[in-house]
């Protein structure tokens, strides 16, 4: 695997112990500085989790300074962020200024962030449990790009490592990922559980890890429980040691934590009461004074470098491994073990005593080697030779995948956007192009019902080992010819939307994590975006690049009823940072969006587009057009009559900007009907019915309320900054209308999606949409009930025109 490491020699171990001490100091001091020494202008507590940091210092020292290799990818427990930044500071990947500004503007982030930290963050963490799950999918992506020879085959396999807070195991998405990993024969993954047995509000249930152990074992993981350090192991060999071990094994978590906080005298008293009569125990306890006894009873494996290193070094198999690592929350800090220590901070007096115990002279708090016994030159030489940092920060660049000018544009008299999407991908699947070879699709058990079947039939399902299609072998006729092999380009998931978005995050970072660019597309039912919303936000926060195709949308999925009818998802698309949201009505619009989208996924502010021209700041309405992002397309199963037309370059540009006039208004027009998505036929019918009565009215197709809105806000911001001539796309679109014109907006979704359009130029507006759960029915009934039909649009137009007359 290329990750093999040997146990350190005595000289190396001495350096590691010194670095362990320094990391504890720097992490604690970074938090103290932010809370007590940096001036506060708002009176808010800064925080920083000193206790949670302390429980992982030994584990992270062993990993970063001895065990890990450059090809490994790691997700750090969110609350151990200061430990991570301290390590990167010692490596030279983090600056003193950013440590001093921890949790301040421009400083080191509260939780490790790929996009906001300057140091070597592989996987952003913060939303509890998602970074843990992410490592499973990162490992799967590594399998994918290596088996397809998309990266250098001589590069060693890497591990995906998660440092897991034990309370994160309360998160359901962790178990969804665990099961999905078992399905996909997961390997090269470590989860190191920081079992400090304390969460935000409570001490963790004693029986929990008996079940966790079994669960991991059932999922095919190797489980290593690291409970006792070398001191305790030696004590168990002495007379009375067996009784001591049994007492510890049976001791409730809450009692153990309380005794850790109270110290050596409390340990002695409790042990004498509970097992003092057992053979050898009195003599064993007499071997230790109170301080030594406290040190002994606090010598859990997670704080014993030798024990941790032995376990990590021995784990060379590609089998996924779970290390249940016993630790003490707040180890070596004054509030170690206290049940309230999660958000606890050392006060200035406590910090002074801690500083004295660490041997750090006043004024040298940020010095990398102050207070250590080993010479600074020796420690720096050791750091310089650490394998993990041998390549510095480990971000890869990947080549641009050309997007051909000739792009599929399905034709047909009637078609839904969902159907058109399937045909576009099926056409791409027939091509032997770079673009097609880098597309990877995935879906949570709705592959067929989201029209991915044609793509999968041609490109196959990815499976590391390859499996036969039993139905084909048995000559059973099926429309699905789904070969499973390492050549496949579809990853089939179980019904868990969190897994879908976490996998998309991993696939969408392949260019940076592994140097191989993938163009991921994930499909799901639109209402179930909300199931995976935390993971979607997490993926965007990492700046992963992917396309979400959500279909079918709205109450237009009429017979299915309210649970399957989405209402608020257009607002999610508008609000989600890093995600450009579209809702086309017609297939030619969809084709133009996808064609643009494959380029948009690859932009990073420096790439050249497929046309070979440098992306300039004025190419889009706001900075995101230069830096790119992900896409969300809200599609429908409703078949619409497709317009007979050939899109001009101007209209295609407007489709991407967010809207175009399907029926151009005359200058000074007093009315415009504005629609988005599958409701187009009703908007057209209403427009035709009033065209004679309101001559010159316009019909505006909004393909992206998100991009129109973002462009408008960007133009307003630019004007406030002095750029008086800045004009957004939506302002240009509405410019022909009379200043007192009326607008009617309609969407199969929440009306607020388009309601803001009235504020662009101060127009009066009537907004139609859906605000309540849908119910089963057919389209005429539901559209009438929720005022989406042509009659409702005409009535809204009459109301807005009447209001216009009243205001004159």
């Amino acid at each position: 695997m290329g990750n093999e490491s040997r146990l350190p020699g005595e000289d190396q171990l001495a350096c590691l112990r010194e670095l362990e001490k320094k990391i504890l100091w720097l992490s604690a001091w970074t938090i103290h500085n932010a809370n007590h020494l940096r001036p506060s202008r708002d009176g808010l507590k800064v925080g920083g989790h000193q206790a949670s940091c302390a429980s992982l210092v030994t584990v992270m020292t062993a990993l970063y300074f001895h065990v890990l290799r450059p090809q490994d990818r790691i997700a750090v427990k969110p609350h151990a962020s200061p430990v991570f930044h301290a390590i990167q500071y010692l490596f030279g990947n983090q600056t003193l200024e950013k440590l001093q500004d921890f949790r301040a503007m421009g400083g080191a982030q509260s939780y490790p962030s790929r996009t906001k930290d300057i140091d070597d963050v592989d996987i952003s963490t913060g939303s509890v449990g998602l970074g843990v799950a992410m490592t499973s999918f990162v490992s799967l992506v590594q399998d994918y790009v290596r088996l397809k020879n998309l990266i250098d085959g001589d590069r060693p396999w890497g591990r995906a490592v998660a440092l897991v807070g034990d309370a994160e195991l309360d998160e359901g998405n962790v178990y969804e990922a665990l099961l999905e990993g078992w399905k996909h024969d997961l390997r090269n993954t470590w989860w190191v559980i920081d079992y400090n047995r304390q969460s935000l509000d409570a001490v963790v249930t004693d029986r929990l890890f008996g079940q966790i152990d079994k669960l991991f074992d059932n999922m095919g993981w190797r489980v290593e429980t690291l409970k006792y350090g070398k001191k305790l192991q030696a004590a168990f060999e002495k007379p009375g040691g067996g009784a001591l071990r049994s007492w510890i094994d049976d001791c409730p978590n809450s009692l153990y934590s309380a005794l850790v906080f109270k110290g050596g005298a409390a340990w002695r008293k409790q042990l004498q009461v509970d097992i003092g009569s057992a053979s050898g125990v009195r003599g064993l306890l007499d071997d230790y004074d109170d301080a030594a006894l406290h040190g002994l009873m606090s010598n859990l494996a997670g704080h014993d470098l030798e024990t941790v290193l032995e376990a990590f070094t021995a784990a060379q198999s590609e089998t996924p491994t779970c290390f249940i690592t016993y630790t003490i929350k707040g180890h070596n800090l004054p509030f170690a073990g206290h049940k309230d220590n999660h958000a606890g901070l050392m006060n200035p007096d406590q910090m002074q005593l801690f500083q004295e115990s660490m041997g750090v002279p006043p004024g040298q708090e940020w010095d990398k080697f102050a207070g250590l016994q080993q010479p600074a030159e020796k420690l720096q030489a050791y750091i310089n030779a650490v394998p993990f940092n041998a390549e510095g920060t480990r971000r890869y660049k990947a080549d641009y995948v050309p997007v051909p000018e000739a792009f599929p544009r399905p034709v047909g008299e009637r078609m839904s956007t969902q159907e058109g999407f399937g045909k576009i991908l099926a056409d791409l699947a027939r091509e032997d192009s770079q673009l097609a070879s880098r597309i990877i699709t995935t879906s949570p058990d709705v592959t067929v019902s989201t029209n991915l079947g044609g793509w999968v039939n041609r490109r196959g399902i990815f499976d590391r080992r390859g499996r036969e299609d039993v139905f084909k072998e048995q000559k059973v006729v099926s429309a699905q010819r789904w070969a499973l092999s390492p050549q496949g380009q579809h990853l089939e998931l179980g019904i868990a939307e969190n897994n879908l978005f976490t996998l998309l995050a991993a696939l969408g970072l392949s260019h940076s994590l592994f140097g191989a660019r993938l163009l991921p597309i994930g499909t799901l039912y639109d209402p179930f975006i909300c199931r995976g919303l935390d993971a979607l936000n997490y993926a965007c926060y990492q700046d992963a690049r992917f396309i979400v195709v959500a279909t079918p949308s709205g109450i237009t999925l009429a017979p299915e009823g309210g649970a399957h009818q989405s209402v608020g998802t257009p607002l999610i698309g508008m609000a989600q940072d890093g995600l450009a949201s579209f809702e086309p009505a017609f297939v030619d619009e969809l084709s133009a969006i996808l064609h643009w989208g494959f380029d948009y996924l690859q932009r990073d502010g420096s790439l050249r587009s497929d046309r070979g021209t440098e992306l300039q700041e004025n190419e889009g309405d706001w900075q995101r057009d230069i830096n790119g992002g992900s896409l969300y397309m809200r599609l429908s199963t409703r078949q619409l009559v497709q317009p007979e037309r050939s899109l001009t370059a101007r209209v295609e540009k407007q489709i991407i900007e967010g809207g175009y006039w399907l029926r151009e208004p005359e200058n000074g027009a007093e009315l415009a009907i504005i629609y988005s998505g599958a409701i187009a036929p009703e908007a057209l019918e209403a427009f035709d019915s009033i065209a004679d009565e309101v001559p010159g009215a316009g019909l505006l197709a909004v393909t992206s309320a998100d991009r129109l809105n973002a462009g408008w806000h960007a133009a307003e911001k630019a004007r406030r900054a002095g750029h008086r001539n800045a004009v957004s796309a939506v302002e240009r679109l509405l410019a022909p209308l009379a200043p007192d014109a009326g607008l009617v907006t309609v969407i199969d979704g929440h009306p607020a999606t388009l309601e803001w359009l009235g504020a662009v130029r101060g127009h009066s507006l009537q907004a139609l949409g859906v605000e309540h759960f849908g119910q089963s029915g057919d389209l005429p009934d539901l559209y009438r009930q929720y005022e989406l039909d042509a009659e409702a649009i005409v009535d809204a137009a009459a109301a807005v025109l009447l209001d216009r007359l009243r205001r004159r």
Side-chain angles (χ1 to χ4, degrees):
M1 185 166 57
N3 273 314
E4 291 78 6
S5 62
R6 297 181 179 179
L7 286 172
E10 284 301 319
D11 252 17
Q12 292 177 306
L13 195 57
C15 289
L16 283 167
R17 288 197 174 106
E18 293 285 81
L19 293 171
E20 175 190 25
K21 179 181 175 183
K22 177 54 63 173
I23 292 164
L24 175 62
W25 164 256
L26 281 173
S27 61
W29 179 254
T30 296
I31 298 167
H32 181 80
N33 177 76
N35 285 274
H36 293 287
L37 302 180
R38 196 169 65 216
S40 173
R41 296 181 297 172
D42 53 22
L44 296 177
K45 176 183 175 181
V46 177
H49 305 99
Q50 285 175 331
S52 292
C53 288
S55 65
L56 260 185
V57 163
T58 303
V59 167
M60 291 179 69
T61 301
L63 285 170
Y64 278 97
F65 287 94
H66 187 76
V67 177
L68 295 177
R69 297 296 182 265
Q71 61 269 22
D72 296 327
R73 294 291 177 263
I74 186 164
V76 175
K77 184 182 79 167
H79 292 155
S81 174
V83 178
F84 171 79
H85 292 306
I87 290 171
Q88 295 297 320
Y89 177 59
L90 293 176
F91 279 152
N93 299 331
Q94 181 60 280
T95 66
L96 172 59
E97 292 73 24
K98 289 192 178 293
L99 277 189
Q100 291 172 330
D101 287 338
F102 173 64
R103 292 196 170 200
M105 179 69 74
Q109 293 295 295
S110 307
Y111 310 116
S113 171
R114 285 184 57 86
T115 56
K116 299 185 183 304
D117 278 315
I118 64 165
D119 46 8
D120 199 17
V121 180
D122 289 323
I123 297 170
S124 299
T125 52
S127 189
V128 177
L130 289 174
V132 181
M134 178 82 164
T135 56
S136 293
F137 294 108
V138 164
S139 182
L140 182 59
V141 172
Q142 178 182 225
D143 284 349
Y144 185 89
V145 296
R146 285 188 68 100
L147 292 173
K148 286 183 164 22
N149 297 315
L150 298 179
I151 59 176
D152 181 4
D154 293 332
R155 188 190 305 170
W157 289 89
R159 297 186 188 93
V161 180
L163 301 179
V164 187
D166 50 11
E168 291 189 272
L169 296 176
D170 289 340
E171 294 288 342
N173 75 286
V174 170
Y175 302 100
E176 292 176 350
L178 197 60
L179 182 60
E180 198 64 55
W182 174 79
K183 293 177 189 176
H184 287 279
D185 194 21
L186 179 69
R187 27 180 223 152
N188 296 326
T189 304
W190 284 5
W191 287 3
V192 184
I193 299 172
D194 176 16
Y195 186 34
N196 62 39
R197 301 170 305 290
Q198 291 179 247
S199 60
L200 182 60
D201 290 330
V203 176
V204 172
T205 303
D206 296 298
R207 296 173 296 165
L208 175 66
F209 271 76
Q211 302 305 312
I212 297 296
D213 191 314
K214 295 173 189 175
L215 183 62
F216 276 92
D217 185 64
N218 288 338
M219 292 296 171
W221 287 57
R222 190 169 67 90
V223 180
E224 289 287 330
T225 300
L226 310 182
K227 189 169 186 178
Y228 300 117
K230 295 294 185 181
K231 292 179 183 177
L232 276 171
Q233 292 176 40
F236 296 155
E237 298 301 318
K238 297 179 180 180
L244 178 63
R245 179 168 187 156
S246 296
W247 182 90
I248 296 174
D249 288 341
D250 294 338
C251 184
N253 288 338
S254 54
L255 176 58
Y256 207 91
S257 295
L259 293 173
V260 166
F261 177 72
K262 293 177 72 175
W267 282 115
R268 189 178 307 279
K269 180 178 179 181
Q270 189 73 46
L271 291 169
Q272 286 173 343
V273 170
D274 290 348
I275 58 172
S277 61
S279 176
V281 169
R282 292 277 181 181
L284 178 61
L285 296 179
D286 289 343
D287 287 343
Y288 302 90
D289 61 21
D290 283 352
L293 182 60
H294 179 68
L296 174 70
M297 299 305 289
S298 301
N299 181 232
L300 300 182
H303 301 302
D304 191 285
L305 259 176
E306 289 183 76
T307 303
V308 168
L309 286 164
E310 286 173 3
F312 289 161
T313 303
Q316 301 298 340
S317 168
E318 67 180 27
T319 302
T321 302
C322 170
F323 298 94
I324 301 174
T325 311
Y326 278 70
T327 61
I328 293 168
K329 195 163 186 173
H331 183 62
N332 283 331
L333 301 183
F335 40 58
H338 196 287
K339 71 183 183 70
D340 299 335
N341 68 11
H342 180 82
L345 297 170
M346 282 185 276
N347 61 41
D349 290 339
Q350 289 173 321
M351 177 52 74
Q352 183 178 345
L353 292 173
F354 180 63
Q355 183 169 356
E356 291 171 1
S357 71
M358 285 284 173
V360 177
Q364 298 183 35
E365 290 85 358
W366 299 105
D367 189 279
K368 292 184 177 181
F369 304 117
L372 303 182
Q373 300 303 309
Q374 296 289 326
E377 297 79 9
K378 181 179 180 180
L379 291 170
Q380 188 61 60
Y382 182 90
I383 292 171
N384 292 343
V386 168
F388 183 70
N389 197 46
E391 299 176 5
T393 53
R394 299 150 307 115
R395 296 284 179 96
Y396 291 100
K397 294 282 187 181
D399 291 339
Y400 181 87
V401 177
V403 183
E405 285 293 335
F407 196 79
R409 187 158 292 183
V411 295
E413 184 180 351
R414 296 179 65 86
M415 207 182 314
S416 70
T417 47
Q418 177 179 303
E419 183 183 358
F421 164 73
K423 288 184 175 183
I424 290 170
L425 276 193
D427 286 346
L428 287 172
R430 295 185 184 97
E431 299 175 0
D432 184 21
S433 67
Q434 289 187 56
L435 176 67
S437 70
R438 295 306 178 100
I439 293 173
I440 175 170
T441 60
T442 183
S443 186
D445 203 40
V446 290
T447 297
V448 175
S449 51
T450 54
N451 276 58
L452 278 177
W455 165 267
V456 178
N457 279 346
R458 289 189 174 274
R459 291 288 172 160
I461 295 178
F462 175 76
D463 186 272
R464 188 166 60 85
R465 300 185 185 278
R467 286 180 284 165
E468 297 294 331
D469 183 341
V470 175
F471 278 77
K472 181 179 178 182
E473 292 297 312
Q474 293 295 321
K475 296 182 171 55
V476 176
V477 177
S478 171
Q480 281 78 53
R481 301 182 298 277
W482 289 6
L484 288 84
S485 73
Q487 287 72 49
Q489 287 180 244
H490 176 79
L491 276 165
E492 186 67 9
L493 298 173
I495 308 174
E497 283 74 13
N498 264 300
N499 281 342
L500 171 72
F501 289 121
T502 311
L503 173 59
L504 287 174
L507 290 166
L509 288 173
S510 180
H511 59 284
S512 178
L513 293 173
F514 302 112
R517 188 177 299 282
L518 300 177
L519 301 171
I521 300 175
T523 65
L524 78 164
Y525 292 167
D526 191 62
F528 300 147
I529 279 180
C530 296
R531 287 182 179 176
L533 191 53
D534 191 20
L536 170 60
N537 180 68
Y538 173 70
C540 292
Y541 178 67
Q542 304 207 68
D543 197 26
R545 303 301 177 88
F546 51 87
I547 297 174
V548 176
V549 177
T551 176
S553 61
I555 65 169
T556 300
L557 186 64
E560 288 281 353
H564 282 67
Q565 296 172 346
S566 56
V567 172
T569 51
L571 297 176
I572 292 172
M574 292 180 70
Q576 181 59 61
D577 188 21
L579 193 70
S581 174
F582 291 87
E583 187 166 357
F586 303 115
V587 173
D588 56 359
E589 299 168 355
L590 171 66
S591 174
I593 293 165
L594 270 175
H595 185 223
W596 171 85
F598 283 122
D599 173 78
Y600 184 72
L601 294 188
Q602 302 182 69
R603 298 181 185 181
D604 67 357
S606 63
L607 286 171
R608 292 177 178 272
S609 75
D610 55 316
R611 297 172 181 82
T613 57
E614 190 73 25
L615 291 169
Q616 299 295 325
E617 191 166 343
N618 61 1
E619 180 170 323
D621 281 328
W622 73 107
Q623 189 69 22
R624 202 166 64 189
D625 264 14
I626 302 165
N627 293 329
S630 293
L631 267 70
Y632 161 36
M633 292 191 295
R634 191 173 187 252
L635 306 185
S636 175
T637 53
R638 186 186 186 192
Q639 289 196 330
L640 304 185
V641 175
Q642 299 296 304
E644 295 183 10
R645 63 184 179 182
S646 179
L647 296 177
T648 64
R650 174 176 173 271
V651 171
E652 284 200 14
K653 182 175 184 294
Q654 290 179 324
I655 287 170
I656 301 308
E657 288 176 337
Y660 66 99
W661 288 107
L662 192 65
R663 300 289 187 268
E664 289 270 359
E666 294 180 2
N667 284 329
E670 61 188 52
L671 176 70
I673 295 173
I674 304 172
Y675 75 90
S676 189
I679 214 75
E682 283 65 35
L684 275 163
E685 182 183 345
F687 177 84
D688 289 342
S689 70
I690 64 173
D692 292 335
E693 297 180 30
V694 191
L699 180 63
L700 181 63
V702 173
T703 53
S704 177
D706 174 30
R707 285 175 62 79
L708 286 181
N709 182 265
W712 176 46
H713 285 299
E716 288 186 315
K717 183 177 179 180
R719 289 192 289 266
R720 290 196 300 270
H723 302 284
R724 298 181 188 177
N725 296 325
V727 181
S728 67
V730 69
E731 290 168 318
R732 289 193 296 269
L733 284 170
L734 299 180
L737 303 179
D740 62 345
L743 309 180
V744 176
T745 62
V746 58
I747 183 174
D748 184 359
H750 199 282
T753 308
L754 300 175
E755 196 168 18
W756 59 272
L757 287 165
V760 174
R761 289 188 174 272
H763 291 124
S764 179
L765 181 142
Q766 291 275 319
L768 303 180
V770 184
E771 297 179 81
H772 304 288
F773 293 113
Q775 55 184 304
S776 297
D778 62 11
L779 285 183
D781 283 344
L782 291 186
Y783 280 7
R784 187 179 309 112
Q785 173 72 25
Y786 291 95
E787 297 186 337
L788 297 179
D789 61 358
E791 183 178 348
I793 298 171
V794 171
D795 288 345
V800 80
L801 288 173
L802 181 61
D803 181 63
R804 179 174 182 260
L805 289 174
R806 286 174 181 158
R807 288 186 290 119
R808 282 187 164 183

